[in-house]
PDB file of all heavy atoms in Angstrom:
ATOM      1  N   LEU A   1     109.238  91.698 103.338  1.00 92.00           N
ATOM      2  CA  LEU A   1     108.819  91.747 101.944  1.00 92.00           C
ATOM      3  C   LEU A   1     109.065  93.148 101.408  1.00 92.00           C
ATOM      4  O   LEU A   1     109.169  94.104 102.164  1.00 92.00           O
ATOM      5  CB  LEU A   1     107.350  91.336 101.766  1.00 92.00           C
ATOM      6  CG  LEU A   1     106.281  92.151 102.482  1.00 92.00           C
ATOM      7  CD1 LEU A   1     105.784  93.254 101.578  1.00 92.00           C
ATOM      8  CD2 LEU A   1     105.144  91.233 102.859  1.00 92.00           C
ATOM      9  N   THR A   2     109.168  93.256 100.122  1.00 92.00           N
ATOM     10  CA  THR A   2     109.415  94.539  99.475  1.00 92.00           C
ATOM     11  C   THR A   2     108.104  95.069  98.913  1.00 92.00           C
ATOM     12  O   THR A   2     107.388  94.361  98.205  1.00 92.00           O
ATOM     13  CB  THR A   2     110.434  94.377  98.326  1.00 92.00           C
ATOM     14  OG1 THR A   2     111.648  93.882  98.875  1.00 92.00           O
ATOM     15  CG2 THR A   2     110.688  95.687  97.610  1.00 92.00           C
ATOM     16  N   ILE A   3     107.790  96.316  99.248  1.00 91.00           N
ATOM     17  CA  ILE A   3     106.627  96.978  98.656  1.00 91.00           C
ATOM     18  C   ILE A   3     107.053  97.427  97.266  1.00 91.00           C
ATOM     19  O   ILE A   3     108.077  98.113  97.119  1.00 91.00           O
ATOM     20  CB  ILE A   3     106.173  98.177  99.511  1.00 91.00           C
ATOM     21  CG1 ILE A   3     105.771  97.705 100.916  1.00 91.00           C
ATOM     22  CG2 ILE A   3     105.024  98.918  98.833  1.00 91.00           C
ATOM     23  CD1 ILE A   3     105.512  98.829 101.893  1.00 91.00           C
ATOM     24  N   PRO A   4     106.321  97.063  96.227  1.00 93.00           N
ATOM     25  CA  PRO A   4     106.720  97.429  94.860  1.00 93.00           C
ATOM     26  C   PRO A   4     106.977  98.929  94.720  1.00 93.00           C
ATOM     27  O   PRO A   4     106.293  99.760  95.330  1.00 93.00           O
ATOM     28  CB  PRO A   4     105.530  96.989  94.016  1.00 93.00           C
ATOM     29  CG  PRO A   4     104.917  95.870  94.798  1.00 93.00           C
ATOM     30  CD  PRO A   4     105.084  96.282  96.243  1.00 93.00           C
ATOM     31  N   VAL A   5     107.976  99.271  93.925  1.00 93.00           N
ATOM     32  CA  VAL A   5     108.401 100.658  93.760  1.00 93.00           C
ATOM     33  C   VAL A   5     107.261 101.560  93.307  1.00 93.00           C
ATOM     34  O   VAL A   5     107.133 102.693  93.769  1.00 93.00           O
ATOM     35  CB  VAL A   5     109.628 100.771  92.821  1.00 93.00           C
ATOM     36  CG1 VAL A   5     109.271 100.393  91.392  1.00 93.00           C
ATOM     37  CG2 VAL A   5     110.237 102.152  92.888  1.00 93.00           C
ATOM     38  N   SER A   6     106.391 101.071  92.424  1.00 93.00           N
ATOM     39  CA  SER A   6     105.282 101.916  91.948  1.00 93.00           C
ATOM     40  C   SER A   6     104.337 102.276  93.098  1.00 93.00           C
ATOM     41  O   SER A   6     103.824 103.390  93.156  1.00 93.00           O
ATOM     42  CB  SER A   6     104.518 101.226  90.821  1.00 93.00           C
ATOM     43  OG  SER A   6     103.951 100.008  91.273  1.00 93.00           O
ATOM     44  N   PHE A   7     104.129 101.355  94.035  1.00 90.00           N
ATOM     45  CA  PHE A   7     103.282 101.631  95.198  1.00 90.00           C
ATOM     46  C   PHE A   7     103.961 102.646  96.114  1.00 90.00           C
ATOM     47  O   PHE A   7     103.328 103.566  96.620  1.00 90.00           O
ATOM     48  CB  PHE A   7     102.997 100.356  95.995  1.00 90.00           C
ATOM     49  CG  PHE A   7     102.109  99.353  95.293  1.00 90.00           C
ATOM     50  CD1 PHE A   7     101.632  99.541  93.999  1.00 90.00           C
ATOM     51  CD2 PHE A   7     101.759  98.186  95.938  1.00 90.00           C
ATOM     52  CE1 PHE A   7     100.821  98.612  93.380  1.00 90.00           C
ATOM     53  CE2 PHE A   7     100.943  97.238  95.333  1.00 90.00           C
ATOM     54  CZ  PHE A   7     100.472  97.449  94.052  1.00 90.00           C
ATOM     55  N   ARG A   8     105.266 102.447  96.351  1.00 89.00           N
ATOM     56  CA  ARG A   8     106.007 103.382  97.213  1.00 89.00           C
ATOM     57  C   ARG A   8     106.001 104.784  96.622  1.00 89.00           C
ATOM     58  O   ARG A   8     105.814 105.775  97.342  1.00 89.00           O
ATOM     59  CB  ARG A   8     107.442 102.896  97.418  1.00 89.00           C
ATOM     60  CG  ARG A   8     107.526 101.611  98.223  1.00 89.00           C
ATOM     61  CD  ARG A   8     108.935 101.285  98.691  1.00 89.00           C
ATOM     62  NE  ARG A   8     109.986 101.490  97.720  1.00 89.00           N
ATOM     63  CZ  ARG A   8     110.485 100.547  96.923  1.00 89.00           C
ATOM     64  NH1 ARG A   8     110.007  99.313  96.958  1.00 89.00           N
ATOM     65  NH2 ARG A   8     111.460 100.823  96.089  1.00 89.00           N
ATOM     66  N   GLN A   9     106.170 104.878  95.320  1.00 91.00           N
ATOM     67  CA  GLN A   9     106.171 106.188  94.672  1.00 91.00           C
ATOM     68  C   GLN A   9     104.801 106.851  94.773  1.00 91.00           C
ATOM     69  O   GLN A   9     104.701 108.037  95.088  1.00 91.00           O
ATOM     70  CB  GLN A   9     106.581 106.053  93.200  1.00 91.00           C
ATOM     71  CG  GLN A   9     108.048 105.748  93.029  1.00 91.00           C
ATOM     72  CD  GLN A   9     108.413 105.439  91.581  1.00 91.00           C
ATOM     73  OE1 GLN A   9     107.569 105.077  90.762  1.00 91.00           O
ATOM     74  NE2 GLN A   9     109.704 105.562  91.282  1.00 91.00           N
ATOM     75  N   GLU A  10     103.761 106.076  94.517  1.00 89.00           N
ATOM     76  CA  GLU A  10     102.408 106.629  94.563  1.00 89.00           C
ATOM     77  C   GLU A  10     102.056 107.140  95.964  1.00 89.00           C
ATOM     78  O   GLU A  10     101.392 108.165  96.115  1.00 89.00           O
ATOM     79  CB  GLU A  10     101.382 105.580  94.130  1.00 89.00           C
ATOM     80  CG  GLU A  10      99.990 106.139  94.001  1.00 89.00           C
ATOM     81  CD  GLU A  10      99.015 105.153  93.366  1.00 89.00           C
ATOM     82  OE1 GLU A  10      99.432 104.364  92.504  1.00 89.00           O
ATOM     83  OE2 GLU A  10      97.833 105.194  93.751  1.00 89.00           O
ATOM     84  N   LEU A  11     102.531 106.442  96.999  1.00 85.00           N
ATOM     85  CA  LEU A  11     102.239 106.832  98.377  1.00 85.00           C
ATOM     86  C   LEU A  11     103.281 107.775  98.975  1.00 85.00           C
ATOM     87  O   LEU A  11     103.100 108.278 100.077  1.00 85.00           O
ATOM     88  CB  LEU A  11     102.130 105.580  99.260  1.00 85.00           C
ATOM     89  CG  LEU A  11     100.965 104.656  98.932  1.00 85.00           C
ATOM     90  CD1 LEU A  11     101.071 103.365  99.736  1.00 85.00           C
ATOM     91  CD2 LEU A  11      99.640 105.352  99.211  1.00 85.00           C
ATOM     92  N   GLY A  12     104.363 107.988  98.255  1.00 86.00           N
ATOM     93  CA  GLY A  12     105.419 108.865  98.771  1.00 86.00           C
ATOM     94  C   GLY A  12     106.183 108.252  99.932  1.00 86.00           C
ATOM     95  O   GLY A  12     106.671 108.968 100.801  1.00 86.00           O
ATOM     96  N   LEU A  13     106.267 106.919  99.967  1.00 87.00           N
ATOM     97  CA  LEU A  13     106.971 106.239 101.053  1.00 87.00           C
ATOM     98  C   LEU A  13     108.476 106.275 100.825  1.00 87.00           C
ATOM     99  O   LEU A  13     108.946 105.913  99.764  1.00 87.00           O
ATOM    100  CB  LEU A  13     106.495 104.788 101.162  1.00 87.00           C
ATOM    101  CG  LEU A  13     105.014 104.586 101.470  1.00 87.00           C
ATOM    102  CD1 LEU A  13     104.660 103.103 101.441  1.00 87.00           C
ATOM    103  CD2 LEU A  13     104.664 105.192 102.819  1.00 87.00           C
ATOM    104  N   LYS A  14     109.194 106.715 101.824  1.00 89.00           N
ATOM    105  CA  LYS A  14     110.654 106.820 101.763  1.00 89.00           C
ATOM    106  C   LYS A  14     111.267 105.881 102.801  1.00 89.00           C
ATOM    107  O   LYS A  14     110.612 105.523 103.781  1.00 89.00           O
ATOM    108  CB  LYS A  14     111.100 108.258 102.068  1.00 89.00           C
ATOM    109  CG  LYS A  14     110.492 109.311 101.170  1.00 89.00           C
ATOM    110  CD  LYS A  14     111.106 109.286  99.810  1.00 89.00           C
ATOM    111  CE  LYS A  14     110.520 110.421  98.966  1.00 89.00           C
ATOM    112  NZ  LYS A  14     110.699 110.245  97.583  1.00 89.00           N
ATOM    113  N   PRO A  15     112.533 105.491 102.640  1.00 91.00           N
ATOM    114  CA  PRO A  15     113.188 104.636 103.636  1.00 91.00           C
ATOM    115  C   PRO A  15     113.111 105.254 105.032  1.00 91.00           C
ATOM    116  O   PRO A  15     113.247 106.464 105.199  1.00 91.00           O
ATOM    117  CB  PRO A  15     114.634 104.578 103.150  1.00 91.00           C
ATOM    118  CG  PRO A  15     114.538 104.797 101.676  1.00 91.00           C
ATOM    119  CD  PRO A  15     113.411 105.782 101.506  1.00 91.00           C
ATOM    120  N   GLY A  16     112.826 104.421 106.022  1.00 88.00           N
ATOM    121  CA  GLY A  16     112.722 104.889 107.401  1.00 88.00           C
ATOM    122  C   GLY A  16     111.333 105.339 107.798  1.00 88.00           C
ATOM    123  O   GLY A  16     111.060 105.585 108.960  1.00 88.00           O
ATOM    124  N   ARG A  17     110.445 105.465 106.838  1.00 85.00           N
ATOM    125  CA  ARG A  17     109.073 105.917 107.103  1.00 85.00           C
ATOM    126  C   ARG A  17     108.314 104.838 107.855  1.00 85.00           C
ATOM    127  O   ARG A  17     108.412 103.658 107.543  1.00 85.00           O
ATOM    128  CB  ARG A  17     108.387 106.217 105.770  1.00 85.00           C
ATOM    129  CG  ARG A  17     106.966 106.686 105.839  1.00 85.00           C
ATOM    130  CD  ARG A  17     106.908 108.193 105.864  1.00 85.00           C
ATOM    131  NE  ARG A  17     105.559 108.662 105.935  1.00 85.00           N
ATOM    132  CZ  ARG A  17     104.862 109.123 104.901  1.00 85.00           C
ATOM    133  NH1 ARG A  17     105.411 109.186 103.712  1.00 85.00           N
ATOM    134  NH2 ARG A  17     103.639 109.548 105.068  1.00 85.00           N
ATOM    135  N   LYS A  18     107.538 105.205 108.846  1.00 83.00           N
ATOM    136  CA  LYS A  18     106.734 104.267 109.616  1.00 83.00           C
ATOM    137  C   LYS A  18     105.408 104.031 108.903  1.00 83.00           C
ATOM    138  O   LYS A  18     104.809 104.959 108.365  1.00 83.00           O
ATOM    139  CB  LYS A  18     106.449 104.813 111.016  1.00 83.00           C
ATOM    140  CG  LYS A  18     107.677 105.061 111.845  1.00 83.00           C
ATOM    141  CD  LYS A  18     108.259 103.777 112.333  1.00 83.00           C
ATOM    142  CE  LYS A  18     109.421 104.056 113.277  1.00 83.00           C
ATOM    143  NZ  LYS A  18     110.071 102.843 113.704  1.00 83.00           N
ATOM    144  N   ILE A  19     104.971 102.769 108.895  1.00 85.00           N
ATOM    145  CA  ILE A  19     103.684 102.422 108.326  1.00 85.00           C
ATOM    146  C   ILE A  19     102.928 101.565 109.337  1.00 85.00           C
ATOM    147  O   ILE A  19     103.521 100.994 110.249  1.00 85.00           O
ATOM    148  CB  ILE A  19     103.817 101.670 106.977  1.00 85.00           C
ATOM    149  CG1 ILE A  19     104.654 100.403 107.137  1.00 85.00           C
ATOM    150  CG2 ILE A  19     104.400 102.561 105.908  1.00 85.00           C
ATOM    151  CD1 ILE A  19     104.662  99.522 105.909  1.00 85.00           C
ATOM    152  N   ALA A  20     101.619 101.503 109.181  1.00 83.00           N
ATOM    153  CA  ALA A  20     100.782 100.684 110.058  1.00 83.00           C
ATOM    154  C   ALA A  20     100.397  99.415 109.302  1.00 83.00           C
ATOM    155  O   ALA A  20     100.023  99.468 108.133  1.00 83.00           O
ATOM    156  CB  ALA A  20      99.543 101.458 110.461  1.00 83.00           C
ATOM    157  N   VAL A  21     100.501  98.265 109.980  1.00 88.00           N
ATOM    158  CA  VAL A  21     100.145  96.985 109.390  1.00 88.00           C
ATOM    159  C   VAL A  21      99.095  96.349 110.297  1.00 88.00           C
ATOM    160  O   VAL A  21      99.292  96.266 111.506  1.00 88.00           O
ATOM    161  CB  VAL A  21     101.379  96.060 109.279  1.00 88.00           C
ATOM    162  CG1 VAL A  21     101.008  94.729 108.661  1.00 88.00           C
ATOM    163  CG2 VAL A  21     102.490  96.728 108.486  1.00 88.00           C
ATOM    164  N   SER A  22      97.974  95.931 109.718  1.00 87.00           N
ATOM    165  CA  SER A  22      96.931  95.310 110.526  1.00 87.00           C
ATOM    166  C   SER A  22      96.434  94.041 109.847  1.00 87.00           C
ATOM    167  O   SER A  22      96.576  93.861 108.644  1.00 87.00           O
ATOM    168  CB  SER A  22      95.775  96.284 110.766  1.00 87.00           C
ATOM    169  OG  SER A  22      95.233  96.715 109.538  1.00 87.00           O
ATOM    170  N   LEU A  23      95.866  93.163 110.666  1.00 91.00           N
ATOM    171  CA  LEU A  23      95.321  91.904 110.174  1.00 91.00           C
ATOM    172  C   LEU A  23      93.862  91.827 110.592  1.00 91.00           C
ATOM    173  O   LEU A  23      93.540  91.896 111.783  1.00 91.00           O
ATOM    174  CB  LEU A  23      96.103  90.726 110.775  1.00 91.00           C
ATOM    175  CG  LEU A  23      95.617  89.326 110.432  1.00 91.00           C
ATOM    176  CD1 LEU A  23      95.753  89.064 108.934  1.00 91.00           C
ATOM    177  CD2 LEU A  23      96.412  88.298 111.224  1.00 91.00           C
ATOM    178  N   THR A  24      92.963  91.721 109.611  1.00 90.00           N
ATOM    179  CA  THR A  24      91.532  91.631 109.878  1.00 90.00           C
ATOM    180  C   THR A  24      90.931  90.549 108.986  1.00 90.00           C
ATOM    181  O   THR A  24      91.036  90.653 107.762  1.00 90.00           O
ATOM    182  CB  THR A  24      90.830  92.983 109.596  1.00 90.00           C
ATOM    183  OG1 THR A  24      91.487  94.003 110.331  1.00 90.00           O
ATOM    184  CG2 THR A  24      89.366  92.936 109.983  1.00 90.00           C
ATOM    185  N   ALA A  25      90.352  89.564 109.600  1.00 93.00           N
ATOM    186  CA  ALA A  25      89.683  88.484 108.862  1.00 93.00           C
ATOM    187  C   ALA A  25      90.576  87.886 107.780  1.00 93.00           C
ATOM    188  O   ALA A  25      90.150  87.672 106.659  1.00 93.00           O
ATOM    189  CB  ALA A  25      88.360  88.982 108.274  1.00 93.00           C
ATOM    190  N   GLY A  26      91.839  87.650 108.118  1.00 93.00           N
ATOM    191  CA  GLY A  26      92.762  87.017 107.190  1.00 93.00           C
ATOM    192  C   GLY A  26      93.325  87.913 106.105  1.00 93.00           C
ATOM    193  O   GLY A  26      93.973  87.440 105.183  1.00 93.00           O
ATOM    194  N   VAL A  27      93.082  89.222 106.207  1.00 92.00           N
ATOM    195  CA  VAL A  27      93.586  90.178 105.212  1.00 92.00           C
ATOM    196  C   VAL A  27      94.588  91.113 105.881  1.00 92.00           C
ATOM    197  O   VAL A  27      94.271  91.739 106.897  1.00 92.00           O
ATOM    198  CB  VAL A  27      92.430  90.997 104.593  1.00 92.00           C
ATOM    199  CG1 VAL A  27      92.971  92.052 103.630  1.00 92.00           C
ATOM    200  CG2 VAL A  27      91.439  90.086 103.895  1.00 92.00           C
TER     201      VAL A  27
END
């Protein structure tokens, strides 16, 4: 999935950047 550009800009996420993804209680 694509993270919306406004979110990437706000967080300073660049291509190749590692992120953490977790699943808790269906979220």
Side-chain angles (χ1 to χ4, degrees):
L1 60 92
T2 300
I3 299 171
V5 67
S6 61
F7 291 3
R8 293 193 317 265
Q9 288 173 339
E10 187 171 327
L11 295 172
L13 299 176
K14 304 286 183 199
R17 180 93 180 259
K18 299 285 185 184
I19 57 172
V21 180
S22 58
L23 177 64
T24 306
V27 176

